[in-house]
Amino acid sequence: MKWMVIVALVLPAWSSPCSSTAGRNGEEGLCHVQHGALGTDLLLRCNAPGGRVEWRVNGTKVAASEAAAGGDKDQLLLQNVSPAQEGEYSCHHPGTGKTLRRIRLRVGSPPEKPAVECWAVSYPQTVNCTWKLASEPRLETYFITTYRHGMGAKENECVQPGAGASSCSISDIQMFSITPYVLNVTAVNPLGATMNLFPFIVEQIIRPDPPEDLRVSPIPGESKKLLLEWQPPSSWPFPQYFPLKYFIRYTREGANSNRTIGPYEQTSFILTGIRPRAVYHVQVAAKDFTDYGDYSTWSPLVSGTPWTQP
Ligand SMILES: *[C@@H]1O[C@H](CO)[C@@H](O)[C@H](O)[C@H]1NC(C)=O
Ligand SMILES: *[C@@H]1O[C@H](CO)[C@@H](O)[C@H](O)[C@H]1NC(C)=O
Ligand SMILES: *[C@@H]1O[C@H](CO)[C@@H](O)[C@H](O)[C@H]1NC(C)=O
Ligand SMILES: *[C@@H]1O[C@H](CO)[C@@H](O)[C@H](O)[C@H]1NC(C)=O
């Protein structure tokens, strides 16, 4: 019921003028937009009861046999509609050719259930959520994003950065709450609305961004060691109060496997047992110190070579 109201409220934006020719010959108000679901049969109505009319699409007369299939003389039946049938339909007085009604047909699908993901990349400040639709509905689709913290709790907005966004963020996070948050992402377009509910406990979805500024440097006089240094992800707001631990993944150029070591609680590390003169490729990943949530993805590869006798 509520969805119908939403659709009705937004409808005026979709019934904008049919084309630049709208309004010519005093035809304002004749033109309207009709949305058809892909693969369904659709009736276009002229609203000229009883009277025989002539249908045109993009200005070209529609074969009389097709028009007759509509049953009532003033209707046009489109079967198994496809995107190729989009266009400007108009019905006309058969004698005078006067335009009785114009319909812009748009073909698409109601939105599918959006796939939702949420991560606390800036724990404990914000939770960022993203969503996507498995297939493109071809019609303007927007998303209403709200959340509740507990069943009967007040509904709040998950804030989208702008129109057409496919992400939103929740601030005001309550830490260590055993009551799940539930995000509601509702996709709405002219053919329907579909919602997906995504429940989460903040600590279970902690996932920092990858560490930044990784440097791999030689250590003077040490031909079998490399110095690794990096920074916590800048999106992690309080590394001093919510420390991260780090994993290191490295490989020697030409070797066909790599090694992962860690966790380490500091932001530098000396790799030992390095083959002199060889090139090494290194990545680091971060995880919340308390082991809540998930690892970050790996940072981009950085390469280095140990010190060699000048
Ligand atoms: C009408 O014209 C539009 C735009 O050129 C085209 O995409 C559409 O397929 C045409 N419709 C029909 C039924 O020919
Ligand atoms: C999370 O959301 C905030 C606010 O919209 C945004 O500034 C930030 O870039 C987002 N972080 C990530 C990692 O997407
Ligand atoms: C989800 O959001 C939609 C759009 O605001 C609303 O109509 C619907 O009732 C909500 N569903 C739940 C379970 O909160
Ligand atoms: C380690 O192996 C993975 C998977 O084969 C690869 O994607 C990654 O780049 C390698 N990392 C390093 C540091 O070579």
Side-chain angles (χ1 to χ4, degrees):
M1 241 355 241
K2 206 170 161 193
W3 293 357
M4 298 298 288
V5 174
I6 293 162
V7 171
L9 283 177
V10 184
L11 210 56
W14 291 319
S15 43
S16 50
C18 282
S19 72
S20 52
T21 58
R24 208 175 54 188
N25 306 331
E27 288 170 8
E28 301 95 336
L30 290 175
C31 188
H32 92 170
V33 179
Q34 186 165 344
H35 295 97
L38 268 170
T40 60
D41 295 345
L42 212 64
L43 266 186
L44 305 188
R45 296 171 206 278
C46 187
N47 289 349
R52 182 176 298 281
V53 299
E54 178 189 303
W55 281 97
R56 297 179 195 163
V57 55
N58 291 345
T60 306
K61 196 171 164 178
V62 175
S65 57
E66 250 180 83
D72 273 352
K73 290 187 192 105
D74 71 330
Q75 297 180 346
L76 177 64
L77 175 68
L78 299 177
Q79 288 177 304
N80 188 13
V81 295
S82 69
Q85 282 165 293
E86 284 188 337
E88 294 257 350
Y89 290 79
S90 54
C91 61
H92 303 263
H93 187 280
T96 64
K98 180 178 186 293
T99 306
L100 303 170
R101 195 167 201 223
R102 300 193 308 125
I103 299 170
R104 156 153 293 183
L105 177 65
R106 298 203 49 208
V107 176
S109 323
E112 290 176 44
K113 194 169 169 168
V116 181
E117 241 185 49
C118 293
W119 293 107
V121 294
S122 305
Y123 184 82
Q125 280 189 333
T126 53
V127 167
N128 282 46
C129 298
T130 58
W131 56 87
K132 56 174 179 271
L133 297 174
S135 67
E136 172 50 45
R138 297 193 85 255
L139 301 174
E140 239 170 278
T141 301
Y142 69 95
F143 298 87
I144 301 170
T145 48
T146 56
Y147 70 93
R148 286 179 207 273
H149 184 198
M151 284 297 275
K154 179 169 153 283
E155 197 174 53
N156 294 297
E157 188 190 352
C158 182
V159 181
Q160 300 177 26
S166 58
S167 68
C168 66
S169 62
I170 300 174
S171 6
D172 266 339
I173 291 299
Q174 196 182 318
M175 293 164 59
F176 302 113
S177 167
I178 54 164
T179 306
Y181 283 80
V182 180
L183 176 74
N184 172 351
V185 178
T186 300
V188 185
N189 79 14
L191 291 176
T194 313
M195 95 180 167
N196 194 3
L197 299 178
F198 184 89
F200 62 87
I201 298 273
V202 179
E203 281 70 26
Q204 290 172 357
I205 57 161
I206 293 177
R207 186 182 69 182
D209 281 328
E212 294 171 11
D213 280 339
L214 172 63
R215 280 161 297 152
V216 179
S217 331
I219 304 169
E222 301 281 1
S223 62
K224 294 182 182 172
K225 291 181 182 171
L226 274 171
L227 173 62
L228 315 182
E229 296 165 291
W230 60 88
Q231 295 296 320
S234 49
S235 55
W236 192 255
F238 307 114
Q240 62 281 41
Y241 304 123
F242 298 94
L244 295 169
K245 57 184 182 182
Y246 300 95
F247 294 83
I248 299 169
R249 184 163 86 170
Y250 66 100
T251 187
R252 174 168 52 81
E253 183 153 301
N256 50 20
S257 66
N258 54 35
R259 267 192 82 184
T260 300
I261 55 173
Y264 302 111
E265 285 156 34
Q266 70 274 17
T267 54
S268 67
F269 188 76
I270 294 178
L271 268 187
T272 56
I274 289 293
R275 184 180 291 193
R277 288 175 225 283
V279 176
Y280 279 79
H281 304 295
V282 183
Q283 296 172 291
V284 279
K287 193 172 193 213
D288 182 67
F289 175 71
T290 53
D291 240 349
Y292 283 119
D294 230 322
Y295 297 101
S296 73
T297 55
W298 290 99
S299 66
L301 275 181
V302 174
S303 307
T305 313
W307 176 85
T308 47
Q309 195 94 45

Short mmCIF file of all heavy atoms in Angstrom, two decimals, residues 2-3 6 144 146 148 155 184 186 195 197, ligand 3:
data_model
loop_
_atom_site.label_atom_id
_atom_site.label_comp_id
_atom_site.label_asym_id
_atom_site.label_seq_id
_atom_site.Cartn_x
_atom_site.Cartn_y
_atom_site.Cartn_z
N LYS A 2 1.83 1.26 0.96
CA LYS A 2 2.72 2.42 1.11
C LYS A 2 3.53 2.63 -0.18
O LYS A 2 3.79 3.76 -0.57
CB LYS A 2 3.65 2.15 2.29
CG LYS A 2 4.15 3.41 2.95
CD LYS A 2 4.85 3.08 4.25
CE LYS A 2 5.75 4.20 4.71
NZ LYS A 2 6.63 3.76 5.77
N TRP A 3 3.89 1.52 -0.83
CA TRP A 3 4.70 1.63 -2.06
C TRP A 3 3.91 2.33 -3.16
O TRP A 3 4.45 3.09 -3.91
CB TRP A 3 5.15 0.26 -2.53
CG TRP A 3 6.12 -0.35 -1.58
CD1 TRP A 3 6.63 0.21 -0.45
CD2 TRP A 3 6.70 -1.65 -1.68
NE1 TRP A 3 7.48 -0.65 0.15
CE2 TRP A 3 7.55 -1.80 -0.56
CE3 TRP A 3 6.58 -2.69 -2.62
CZ2 TRP A 3 8.27 -2.95 -0.35
CZ3 TRP A 3 7.30 -3.84 -2.40
CH2 TRP A 3 8.13 -3.98 -1.28
N ILE A 6 4.19 5.94 -2.68
CA ILE A 6 5.49 6.46 -3.11
C ILE A 6 5.50 6.63 -4.62
O ILE A 6 5.87 7.66 -5.15
CB ILE A 6 6.61 5.47 -2.71
CG1 ILE A 6 6.74 5.43 -1.20
CG2 ILE A 6 7.93 5.86 -3.35
CD1 ILE A 6 7.46 4.23 -0.68
N ILE A 144 15.55 3.83 -1.88
CA ILE A 144 15.26 4.42 -0.57
C ILE A 144 16.05 3.59 0.44
O ILE A 144 15.92 2.37 0.46
CB ILE A 144 13.75 4.34 -0.26
CG1 ILE A 144 12.96 5.08 -1.34
CG2 ILE A 144 13.45 4.91 1.11
CD1 ILE A 144 11.46 4.85 -1.24
N THR A 146 17.04 3.06 4.40
CA THR A 146 16.78 3.37 5.80
C THR A 146 17.33 2.26 6.67
O THR A 146 17.62 1.16 6.17
CB THR A 146 15.27 3.50 6.07
OG1 THR A 146 14.63 2.29 5.67
CG2 THR A 146 14.65 4.67 5.31
N ARG A 148 17.16 0.49 10.89
CA ARG A 148 16.66 0.49 12.26
C ARG A 148 17.70 -0.21 13.11
O ARG A 148 18.38 -1.13 12.65
CB ARG A 148 15.38 -0.33 12.38
CG ARG A 148 14.16 0.32 11.81
CD ARG A 148 13.00 -0.67 11.99
NE ARG A 148 11.98 -0.46 10.98
CZ ARG A 148 10.99 0.42 11.12
NH1 ARG A 148 10.89 1.14 12.21
NH2 ARG A 148 10.11 0.57 10.16
N GLU A 155 13.03 4.54 12.56
CA GLU A 155 13.67 4.37 11.27
C GLU A 155 14.54 5.60 10.97
O GLU A 155 14.07 6.72 11.12
CB GLU A 155 12.57 4.24 10.22
CG GLU A 155 13.03 3.67 8.91
CD GLU A 155 11.85 3.45 7.98
OE1 GLU A 155 11.08 4.40 7.76
OE2 GLU A 155 11.71 2.33 7.49
N ASN A 184 17.51 -1.32 5.18
CA ASN A 184 16.43 -1.60 4.23
C ASN A 184 16.75 -0.83 2.94
O ASN A 184 16.75 0.38 2.93
CB ASN A 184 15.11 -1.12 4.86
CG ASN A 184 13.93 -1.15 3.92
OD1 ASN A 184 14.07 -1.38 2.71
ND2 ASN A 184 12.74 -0.91 4.47
N THR A 186 15.38 -0.24 -0.68
CA THR A 186 14.20 -0.45 -1.53
C THR A 186 14.43 0.21 -2.89
O THR A 186 14.68 1.41 -2.95
CB THR A 186 12.94 0.11 -0.85
OG1 THR A 186 12.76 -0.58 0.39
CG2 THR A 186 11.71 -0.12 -1.70
N MET A 195 12.32 -4.68 -2.14
CA MET A 195 13.19 -4.32 -1.02
C MET A 195 14.06 -5.49 -0.60
O MET A 195 13.75 -6.64 -0.83
CB MET A 195 12.36 -3.82 0.15
CG MET A 195 12.03 -4.87 1.16
SD MET A 195 11.03 -4.23 2.50
CE MET A 195 10.53 -5.79 3.20
N LEU A 197 16.38 -6.56 2.95
CA LEU A 197 16.76 -6.20 4.32
C LEU A 197 18.11 -6.83 4.61
O LEU A 197 18.32 -8.01 4.33
CB LEU A 197 15.71 -6.71 5.32
CG LEU A 197 14.30 -6.15 5.14
CD1 LEU A 197 13.35 -6.78 6.15
CD2 LEU A 197 14.28 -4.64 5.28
C1 LIG B 3 11.56 -0.70 3.74
O1 LIG B 3 11.52 0.59 3.14
C2 LIG B 3 10.37 0.80 2.31
C3 LIG B 3 10.56 2.15 1.64
O2 LIG B 3 10.74 3.17 2.59
C4 LIG B 3 9.12 0.72 3.18
O3 LIG B 3 7.99 0.92 2.36
C5 LIG B 3 9.07 -0.64 3.84
O4 LIG B 3 7.96 -0.71 4.71
C6 LIG B 3 10.34 -0.90 4.63
N1 LIG B 3 10.29 -2.27 5.12
C7 LIG B 3 10.62 -2.60 6.37
C8 LIG B 3 10.49 -4.03 6.73
O5 LIG B 3 11.00 -1.76 7.16
#
